[in-house]
Amino acid sequence: MPEFFPDTHLQTIIAATDGVLVEYRGQEAYFHCETPTTDPEFGFIPNLQGMARVLIGANVLENLEEETLITVDGDDYLVGPFETPEDGGVMMIYLKRNNRP
């Protein structure tokens, strides 16, 4: 049975709704890019200290690894913790600034 929203359709929707181009090891995808929050209503991880942004989108980046470089709308960040639900749903990637203090 085909997926209800295949990744290609999600990419089109995200790109058309203020999505930003993300590049990772030669792969390109569109994600929504947000400033992380510690508000428990949103269910984000509790320790966000040092996290600069959070990417929200389809599970489309293969071989994603923490502490590697990722480019978001032309700016470089380090990959922080990321979540990929087992059901293949939304991927959330937390980003750290690439220049550590």
Side-chain angles (χ1 to χ4, degrees):
M1 182 160 114
E3 296 177 46
F4 184 69
F5 278 115
D7 291 339
T8 53
H9 293 326
L10 285 173
Q11 287 293 290
T12 302
I13 292 166
I14 292 170
T17 56
D18 296 327
V20 296
L21 182 62
V22 173
E23 299 171 70
Y24 178 76
R25 293 186 175 176
Q27 301 167 77
E28 293 184 346
Y30 284 92
F31 281 80
H32 289 291
C33 188
E34 305 289 338
T35 302
T37 178
T38 56
D39 189 334
E41 289 184 31
F42 292 103
F44 290 157
I45 59 174
N47 183 9
L48 293 174
Q49 185 174 2
M51 297 298 158
R53 308 290 269 168
V54 60
L55 300 175
I56 304 168
N59 187 4
V60 292
L61 297 178
E62 295 181 20
N63 304 317
L64 187 66
E65 296 177 12
E66 284 191 41
E67 301 296 329
T68 55
L69 195 62
I70 196 167
T71 303
V72 179
D73 202 23
D75 295 324
D76 291 337
Y77 294 91
L78 289 175
V79 175
F82 60 93
E83 303 172 39
T84 53
E86 290 181 19
D87 65 1
V90 171
M91 174 182 246
M92 294 177 60
I93 306 168
Y94 295 89
L95 305 174
K96 300 187 248 184
R97 299 191 193 296
N98 66 339
N99 53 350
R100 295 184 182 173

